[in-house]
Amino acid sequence: MSDRNPHDQHAVRELSDGVEDKLVPLTALDPLAIKSFDEMLAAMSKTAFSGRSLGEAADVLTEMTLDPDCLVVATFSGAMTVAKMGLVIVRMIEAGMIHAIISTGALMAHGLSEAVGLTHYKANPQVSDEELFEKGYNRVYDTLEMEKNLNTIDEFVRAQLDKLDPNEPWSSEMICRQLGKALAEMGDSPGILRSAYLHNVPVYVPAFTDSEIGLDVAVWKLRQMHAKAGNDPNWAPFTHAEPPAYNPFLDLLSYARLIGSKKKLGIFTIGGGVPRNWAQQVGPFYDIVSHRLGVEVPTRPRFQYGIRICPEPVHWGGLSGCTYSEGVSWGKFVPPAEGGRYAEVYADATVAWPMLVRAVLERLEKRRAGQAAK
């Protein structure tokens, strides 16, 4: 080591060597050497930028899926079912990558269109939104959901609500389970709620009234009241409305109980919004119950694994761009120094997510084949 003053402008730096400092080397990605999605993401993990993040996400998703002590919560926001990502969720459920779902209601509603055999269409940019409205085509960026689809979904939801006990408080979990049960009884057409029901994966929709399904439930109740009013000319739907027997705190307590059922927690997030925050606030919920009530709680839940795919940058200040590091300060995540393992991919989910899931599915299949060969 040089004995010169490091502040001396004429001092010569002692240059370190990456090997001596045990740095992780990168490797050039050769497309001709790649024969599978597994190999692609493994190679990407040794590159840089979002490619490396996606490759690391495959490692984290594989590890938390194979960890028998880990409960994996998946949160979804954005128009992912309109964007035809619904089967990606189905395959994750079937492979055991997901043990609970927290979603926007819209994502589940548009997923029902797929599940009952309806179709979404590519939007023609030459057609104005005014004309789309007149024809009953609801545009989501470059894709169309037909109003006729939503009317069909209303009929399907209404028939299932009629089977629930109106005197028992409802929750989004209960309603989603009933819809999934009905889809399973209809046949083997894949759908998110059907697969969730068959694999005992609870589905929570915390902002339930902010969705087509929430509106269907409200209209179901109004239809009953309208029929009871008969021909009363003074009856007005919003003036005389009564709420259905819906209690969102049933979801909160159900989720809190579920979280305490495993030693470790993992979270897989597409986007952000209410589903992400609702899922992550369970740690603070346990903390404040213990502190404010002065009672002992059986566990101190913190997410130990985390994967997030979202293009939102952190500097806008919204939860969609919030880092897992920030979540550590809220008591939501285990610090990396204590074993927390996270991957944050700043990319369009419709590009990165299918590749990630396919790569991990290949890894799981290789593992099963290896175990079978022993």
Side-chain angles (χ1 to χ4, degrees), residues 60 63-64 67 70 264-267 303-306 341-342:
V60 177
E63 183 176 334
M64 73 179 183
D67 190 336
C70 183
K264 300 178 187 176
L265 296 177
I267 188 167
F303 288 100
Q304 183 166 335
Y305 301 100
R341 190 173 183 198
Y342 311 108

Side-chain angles (χ1 to χ4, degrees), residues 132-162:
L132 292 177
F133 171 76
E134 293 299 331
K135 291 185 174 183
Y137 295 154
N138 303 303
R139 184 169 68 87
V140 181
Y141 183 48
D142 60 357
T143 304
L144 301 177
E145 172 76 272
M146 296 192 300
E147 193 65 26
K148 284 186 176 181
N149 286 358
L150 300 179
N151 288 338
T152 300
I153 294 305
D154 171 67
E155 294 175 3
F156 172 74
V157 172
R158 185 197 321 166
Q160 300 313 311
L161 294 179
D162 286 340

Side-chain angles (χ1 to χ4, degrees), residues 49-79:
F49 315 138
S50 292
R52 185 197 300 171
S53 298
L54 186 59
E56 292 173 346
D59 295 337
V60 177
L61 181 55
T62 302
E63 183 176 334
M64 73 179 183
T65 299
L66 294 175
D67 190 336
D69 294 326
C70 183
L71 177 82
V72 182
V73 177
T75 80
F76 302 111
S77 64

Side-chain angles (χ1 to χ4, degrees), residues 3-15:
D3 58 359
R4 293 189 179 186
N5 185 336
H7 300 292
D8 184 346
Q9 62 178 340
H10 300 296
V12 177
R13 290 184 298 157
E14 292 289 343
L15 301 181

Side-chain angles (χ1 to χ4, degrees), residues 160-176:
Q160 300 313 311
L161 294 179
D162 286 340
K163 299 177 182 179
L164 297 178
D165 185 349
N167 299 312
E168 178 184 356
W170 295 353
S171 65
S172 70
E173 179 195 7
M174 177 191 299
I175 293 171
C176 288

Side-chain angles (χ1 to χ4, degrees), residues 70-98:
C70 183
L71 177 82
V72 182
V73 177
T75 80
F76 302 111
S77 64
M80 292 296 104
T81 42
V82 169
K84 315 318 291 180
M85 296 291 109
L87 281 178
V88 180
I89 300 176
V90 168
R91 301 311 178 205
M92 293 182 75
I93 294 173
E94 293 172 344
M97 297 183 196
I98 296 174

